[in-house]
Amino acid sequence: MKTAQNTAQAESQTATNGATMTPAETASPQVTEMHPIKMTARKVDVFYGTKQALFGVDLEIRDNAVTALIGPSGCGKSTFLRCLNRMNDVIDNCRVEGEIRLGDTNIYGANIDPVLLRARVGMVFQKPNPFPKSIYENIAYGPRIHGMAERRAEMDEIVETSLRKAALWDEVKDRLQEPGTGLSGGQQQRLCIARAIAVNPEVILMDEPCSALDPIATARVEELIDELRENYTIVIVTHSMQQAARVSQRTAFFHLGNLVEEDETDQIFTNPRDKRTQDYITGRFG
Amino acid sequence: MREQEHIVKSFEEELEAISTQIAQMGGMAEAQLAAAIDCVTRRDIALAERTVLEDRRIDEMEHDIEEQTVRLIALRQPMALDLREAISAIKISADLERIGDLAKNIAKRSIIVIGDYETPARLMQGLARMGKLAQGQLKAVLDAYAGRNAEEALHVWRSDAEIDEMYNSIFRELLTYMMEDPRTIGACTHLLFIAKNIERIGDHATNVAETVSYLVTGEMLVDERPKSDQTTTTAISALRDTQ
């Protein structure tokens, strides 16, 4: 119910913003500023050994919105994304300082189990990486290790719901026992999204989810992202400026390990405040 | 050079080309407006005929700019400042094309007036001054575009009231001529439209000013522009009272 309200609010906001894009309007509360904050990063520094990769990043991630992280290669956007579900923990010499909160919980707190955290903050990678198992097992794996289903019927339901949410059900419902790796690239990526959804996460992180897909498969995933926004918070790293503009409501621009600018997506792509952002999105970076 | 150059040189060149064409089109609109005013004040039928024909070139230019800009948007997907350049080019060229049309219409009407009516000197001076004001506005706004100067554009935007006031007084003056001698109604109506056209040209110059301001700052002007055209509410009875 709350989500539906939020969406309705967001829509009416978009409508008014679209009608008159004026300085007065842009100064007033914006579309996503109506959304509550889901995750908060405060003064996040990341080091790989002695090399510092992120410098004091402060960022708020809004609920039921898509936040796009953009910036040139090596700017730290993927590093930041991986901080949000402690994927950096698995890298030996990586050290994260500062604070990242999911709701009220400090995710780097001593009592946090990274595995449970990653059920709340799921992830989809650049290359589709289905398990070498059946389509069904790909989805069922997460819910099973988290003990989410007791009976077969419950698991069947989770699998179907997840595949439906990932807009894949109609394409695979007759071949759930076939290997996930036999699907097309675009279908595999949607399978991975379904797998991430299956454990009922609150936040979904996507690291260039479409860079290995053709334009049609990309469009399907983008459409899916837009639908998922109603129920999840999504953070996406993308190299495609157009994709960031198309799918996100907020955009954060990273450069040389710094968060340069974060704002409404339409603001970033029509009238960014920072010169570096403008140079990057218009293709002027020297 | 206003910004650091694009990594893709051909993109840079295409943007430059569009901007240059707008400047050229602006020059043509200025020349047409100057010629149209001369037709009226110098009673030059030959010039009027040339001016009417010349308008076709502005139309072609608009078509050209639109085509190039659409192509640029489709192939380059411009962002931020570049996107505003593209959108502004389409909007400004449309305004310039309208200015060209209005100048052509002035020239056309002048041909009829010249053959039909000995325009009183005072009225002629009024029209000439109004024409000069519109020319000044158009020149200033084209300079603001060339220099990407929002301040100058804003100045043009605010100065339009002067043209409106001139128009008001010419409107009243023409009404009195027509009341005095109904045989002048035909010619005076044409003169009235000529004045109205000049006033409209001023409005298009302020449209361009708004676009230039948006191009530079990224924000649309919201304030209601000071409007001084009172002719929509001027009645003949009111004129009688003031005489």
Side-chain angles (χ1 to χ4, degrees):
Chain A
M1 191 57 224
K2 193 171 144 241
T3 352
Q5 251 170 12
N6 276 345
T7 318
Q9 267 176 345
E11 268 166 13
S12 70
Q13 275 282 310
T14 317
T16 46
N17 272 12
T20 46
M21 227 191 71
T22 62
E25 288 277 333
T26 40
S28 67
Q30 301 228 329
V31 188
T32 46
E33 272 162 24
M34 313 283 290
H35 293 225
I37 292 161
K38 185 74 190 174
M39 293 190 83
T40 315
R42 285 279 169 265
K43 296 193 169 52
V44 173
D45 293 322
V46 176
F47 301 84
Y48 292 113
T50 53
K51 193 184 173 297
Q52 189 164 358
L54 279 183
F55 299 84
V57 173
D58 287 316
L59 184 63
E60 282 159 356
I61 290 161
R62 308 223 167 231
D63 201 7
N64 300 117
V66 180
T67 302
L69 311 181
I70 61 168
S73 295
C75 68
K77 57 190 188 299
S78 288
T79 298
F80 179 75
L81 188 78
R82 297 162 68 89
C83 289
L84 297 177
N85 70 346
R86 295 185 53 172
M87 288 295 282
N88 287 329
D89 287 14
V90 297
I91 301 170
D92 272 347
N93 60 352
C94 180
R95 194 171 90 245
V96 179
E97 288 174 7
E99 189 184 71
I100 298 177
R101 292 185 168 276
L102 171 61
D104 294 327
T105 322
N106 179 0
I107 65 167
Y108 283 87
N111 52 348
I112 297 293
D113 176 353
V115 175
L116 291 179
L117 171 70
R118 285 172 208 144
R120 292 179 69 191
V121 184
M123 192 152 186
V124 176
F125 297 88
Q126 179 173 0
K127 270 191 74 182
N129 55 351
F131 303 135
K133 288 173 183 289
S134 69
I135 294 170
Y136 186 96
E137 275 307 309
N138 262 278
I139 310 295
Y141 181 77
R144 188 172 298 127
I145 60 167
H146 288 290
M148 289 169 63
E150 283 177 10
R151 283 173 295 115
R152 174 80 187 190
E154 281 175 292
M155 188 59 88
D156 287 352
E157 199 186 320
I158 291 178
V159 170
E160 178 173 343
T161 319
S162 306
L163 285 169
R164 277 192 191 281
K165 281 188 191 162
L168 192 60
W169 175 250
D170 289 336
E171 291 161 61
V172 302
K173 63 182 176 207
D174 300 323
R175 42 175 175 151
L176 291 174
Q177 295 314 319
E178 288 173 27
T181 46
L183 296 171
S184 75
Q187 289 172 326
Q188 285 187 26
Q189 194 61 305
R190 278 179 286 146
L191 179 64
C192 293
I193 293 172
R195 186 178 65 191
I197 294 169
V199 291
N200 215 2
E202 295 158 53
V203 182
I204 304 173
L205 310 178
M206 299 185 172
D207 195 350
E208 296 186 49
C210 300
S211 57
L213 305 184
D214 70 34
I216 302 295
T218 298
R220 291 229 168 81
V221 171
E222 287 180 1
E223 170 62 19
L224 174 59
I225 291 172
D226 206 45
E227 283 166 18
L228 293 176
R229 171 163 75 89
E230 281 192 25
N231 301 309
Y232 304 94
T233 300
I234 295 169
V235 186
I236 178 172
V237 163
T238 174
H239 268 135
S240 159
M241 230 69 67
Q242 274 74 34
Q243 181 169 64
R246 285 192 300 260
V247 304
S248 73
Q249 286 72 53
R250 295 196 71 92
T251 298
F253 171 62
F254 285 78
H255 184 227
L256 301 174
N258 294 293
L259 173 63
V260 173
E261 183 173 357
E262 191 262 346
D263 208 331
E264 292 286 307
T265 294
D266 58 6
Q267 177 77 25
I268 294 273
F269 288 104
T270 57
N271 193 14
R273 293 172 214 280
D274 196 284
K275 181 86 172 59
R276 288 168 290 175
T277 317
Q278 165 126 309
D279 284 348
Y280 179 66
I281 62 169
T282 57
R284 285 187 168 87
F285 246 43
Chain B
M1 205 68 267
R2 24 181 215 282
E3 281 283 326
Q4 193 182 339
E5 289 204 2
H6 286 89
I7 298 166
V8 180
K9 278 206 198 69
S10 52
F11 182 18
E12 188 74 30
E13 286 159 11
E14 285 171 27
L15 275 171
E16 286 284 317
I18 290 172
S19 173
T20 307
Q21 270 195 300
I22 291 280
Q24 279 173 4
M25 192 180 172
M28 283 158 67
E30 274 188 286
Q32 283 290 89
L33 174 56
I37 303 296
D38 281 350
C39 299
V40 179
T41 55
R42 301 213 311 247
R43 304 175 67 84
D44 187 338
I45 291 187
L47 176 63
E49 281 164 352
R50 277 205 306 280
T51 309
V52 170
L53 288 177
E54 199 56 7
D55 182 54
R56 213 175 39 215
R57 284 183 53 212
I58 296 191
D59 293 353
E60 283 164 7
M61 196 94 177
E62 190 212 7
H63 195 76
D64 234 38
I65 290 172
E66 195 178 301
E67 218 169 68
Q68 283 184 54
T69 313
V70 167
R71 187 175 172 276
L72 178 109
I73 292 173
L75 300 186
R76 308 286 186 188
Q77 288 111 43
M79 294 280 190
L81 178 67
D82 301 335
L83 178 61
R84 301 205 300 271
E85 282 279 350
I87 300 300
S88 301
I90 291 181
K91 290 181 76 171
I92 291 175
S93 66
D95 277 315
L96 292 176
E97 192 272 333
R98 284 300 297 151
I99 290 176
D101 282 351
L102 291 164
K104 171 184 164 184
N105 189 269
I106 291 171
K108 253 191 198 167
R109 289 180 189 279
S110 76
I111 296 172
I112 302 167
V113 177
I114 292 164
D116 201 36
Y117 184 57
E118 191 64 45
T119 314
R122 212 172 81 107
L123 182 59
M124 199 68 106
Q125 279 165 11
L127 283 172
R129 250 195 73 203
M130 200 178 161
K132 277 268 175 302
L133 280 176
Q135 280 176 271
Q137 287 282 86
L138 181 57
K139 183 183 182 312
V141 83
L142 289 170
D143 287 349
Y145 174 75
R148 301 294 186 273
N149 190 325
E151 273 304 304
E152 280 178 30
L154 213 59
H155 182 74
V156 172
W157 192 64
R158 292 205 191 91
S159 314
D160 185 55
E162 227 176 311
I163 296 184
D164 288 352
E165 274 154 27
M166 287 286 310
Y167 175 59
N168 291 336
S169 74
I170 287 174
F171 181 87
R172 284 162 164 270
E173 203 176 333
L174 278 166
L175 282 188
T176 57
Y177 288 134
M178 289 190 263
M179 285 189 317
E180 274 165 20
D181 183 359
R183 281 171 302 174
T184 66
I185 285 178
C188 281
T189 305
H190 283 297
L191 286 169
L192 189 56
F193 271 109
I194 287 174
K196 180 69 193 166
N197 285 347
I198 300 174
E199 190 269 334
R200 289 296 298 151
I201 287 171
D203 288 348
H204 283 289
T206 62
N207 281 355
V208 176
E210 286 175 14
T211 308
V212 171
S213 166
Y214 166 70
L215 167 62
V216 178
T217 64
E219 277 162 8
M220 308 253 185
L221 287 169
V222 264
D223 301 351
E224 189 63 23
R225 185 166 56 81
K227 280 263 176 209
S228 314
D229 177 358
Q230 295 148 0
T231 57
T232 40
T233 52
T234 303
I236 290 184
S237 56
L239 270 179
R240 284 215 178 92
D241 294 343
T242 55
Q243 273 178 351

